[in-house]
Amino acid sequence: MILLFVADPLETFKTYKDTTFSMMREAARRGHVLWACHPADLVWVSGGRVTARGARRIALTGDEHDWFRTEETADLGLAAGTDAIIMRKDPPFDSEFFYATHLLSQAEREGARVFNKPAALRDHPEKLAILEFPEYISPTLVTRSPEAIKAFHAEHRDIILKPLDGMGGMGIFRVGPDALNLGSIIETLNKGGAETVMVQRYVPEIVKGDKRVLVIGGEVVPWCLARIPQGSEIRGNLAAGGKGVAQPISARDREIAEGVAARLAPRGLLLMGLDVIGDCLTEINVTSPTGFQEISRQSGIDVAQLFVDALERELARR
């Protein structure tokens, strides 16, 4: 098969932990042909089809640093030139990401197969996708109103505030019962009413880890990655210094993941990364969920193999 990965620049990959790299490695092991491009390379012109300008056909070298070599550079037609397109551009979910999904939707109309499905990416932004599952989440507020945030704090006393377009724990604040700096934090995130903020009741089980539970092809991976905050941090994100510890999923983790999978996988989400703190679902990551390598190293489960298995099954249904 010919696979095109739409991703961040290859030169930025940290191959010892990068999930997209682990997907590529498993696909190459099976003999699939790898191409790569950046969303900025996607082009459509009337009378033509969506093309990845200057896409690179790559081979993996096995070297930790110079991990790939470019075998060929070409303008690759997404529908005619590929068997599958893997959309793996990291957040933020900004306007350019949104526009890229529309170009990928056009490629689908032309006959391309895209994973995750572009319309599903648009419909399920990381933070807001949890609103469909109130039975699994902690008390949550989404608003532009400073007054509503202050009222939510007065009710719940210990809260987490975060921007809707952040990643890796960026821009997350905790405000305790003393309300220290609440006004300033609201001003920083809310920007005078210009930007929407998500506020959630603080879940104290974060000290045991922010669990990344993976769902692949509608099936729940039986091990998760608990990202445990270190030192004085409240954030467990690995990008914020959290320690990743793989562990078997709990009964509650499975209940949440299976409930989400039953509803969302049929919409074209081949891969999801659910964030669970204690018994509460906090995010549903669909743009480029990570954690494959950390879970694989510590559990013995080859997560990339599960992903490529699921991808091949989907393509066989065509």
Side-chain angles (χ1 to χ4, degrees):
M1 294 192 305
I2 299 173
L3 307 180
L4 171 65
F5 287 82
V6 182
D8 291 293
L10 302 180
E11 292 79 8
T12 67
F13 281 25
K14 296 180 174 63
T15 57
Y16 67 91
K17 68 174 184 177
D18 194 281
T19 289
T20 305
F21 168 73
S22 70
M23 294 174 175
M24 291 178 167
R25 182 173 55 192
E26 176 60 20
R29 187 188 69 80
R30 301 187 190 200
H32 300 315
V33 178
L34 306 180
W35 286 79
C37 76
H38 188 265
D41 301 324
L42 299 177
V43 175
W44 182 85
V45 61
S46 56
R49 295 187 171 190
V50 179
T51 299
R53 293 274 177 89
R56 293 189 280 181
R57 181 168 66 86
I58 64 170
L60 307 189
T61 65
D63 185 278
E64 182 181 351
H65 302 291
D66 297 321
W67 62 273
F68 73 94
R69 64 174 180 271
T70 300
E71 304 276 86
E72 177 187 357
T73 301
D75 294 344
L76 184 69
L78 270 60
T82 72
D83 293 293
I85 298 157
I86 318 299
M87 177 52 159
R88 289 288 302 173
K89 174 67 179 72
D90 283 345
F93 190 108
D94 56 12
S95 295
E96 289 304 322
F97 184 93
F98 179 75
Y99 303 147
T101 68
H102 277 286
L103 287 170
L104 291 173
S105 285
Q106 175 62 25
E108 283 186 317
R109 290 188 285 271
E110 296 164 359
R113 300 289 301 277
V114 185
F115 305 91
N116 283 326
K117 193 173 180 64
L121 292 176
R122 291 194 296 274
D123 288 346
H124 302 90
E126 320 281 27
K127 306 290 191 301
L128 294 177
I130 66 170
L131 305 189
E132 190 172 347
F133 302 94
E135 66 271 32
Y136 300 139
I137 68 176
S138 66
T140 297
L141 168 70
V142 180
T143 185
R144 289 192 190 186
S145 166
E147 291 75 21
I149 297 173
K150 291 174 182 176
F152 188 87
H153 175 267
E155 178 182 359
H156 296 288
R157 307 292 293 164
D158 199 350
I159 63 173
I160 294 290
L161 303 92
K162 53 189 174 183
L164 295 181
D165 60 353
M167 64 169 291
M170 184 181 302
I172 292 179
F173 294 89
R174 177 185 178 187
V175 177
D178 60 7
L180 189 65
N181 281 333
L182 178 59
S184 178
I185 292 168
I186 292 173
E187 291 169 7
T188 299
L189 295 178
N190 179 240
K191 294 183 171 61
E195 296 192 8
T196 304
V197 179
M198 175 170 278
V199 192
Q200 295 173 305
R201 185 175 67 191
Y202 175 71
V203 181
E205 288 86 354
I206 182 61
V207 297
K208 298 178 181 178
D210 180 353
K211 295 171 285 186
R212 168 58 54 83
V213 180
L214 295 171
V215 179
I216 299 174
E219 299 294 326
V220 182
V221 176
W223 283 63
C224 67
L225 186 70
R227 297 159 298 175
I228 302 171
Q230 301 296 295
S232 60
E233 267 289 354
I234 61 165
R235 301 172 297 172
N237 310 74
L238 300 184
K243 178 181 179 182
V245 178
Q247 60 188 36
I249 64 173
S250 68
R252 174 62 171 173
D253 296 338
R254 180 171 292 280
E255 176 191 358
I256 292 171
E258 289 180 347
V260 172
R263 207 174 303 173
L264 298 192
R267 300 178 189 173
L269 293 171
L270 183 69
L271 172 63
M272 293 176 273
L274 281 53
D275 291 348
V276 179
I277 301 175
D279 289 337
C280 298
L281 175 68
T282 60
E283 290 187 18
I284 301 174
N285 297 273
V286 299
T287 53
S288 59
T290 60
F292 279 29
Q293 294 206 55
E294 294 87 351
I295 292 174
S296 296
R297 277 194 295 267
Q298 297 181 48
S299 72
I301 296 173
D302 193 328
V303 184
Q305 182 177 355
L306 297 178
F307 175 79
V308 180
D309 284 346
L311 176 65
E312 290 176 344
R313 285 195 301 270
E314 284 296 315
L315 294 174
R317 293 191 180 109
R318 184 169 189 167

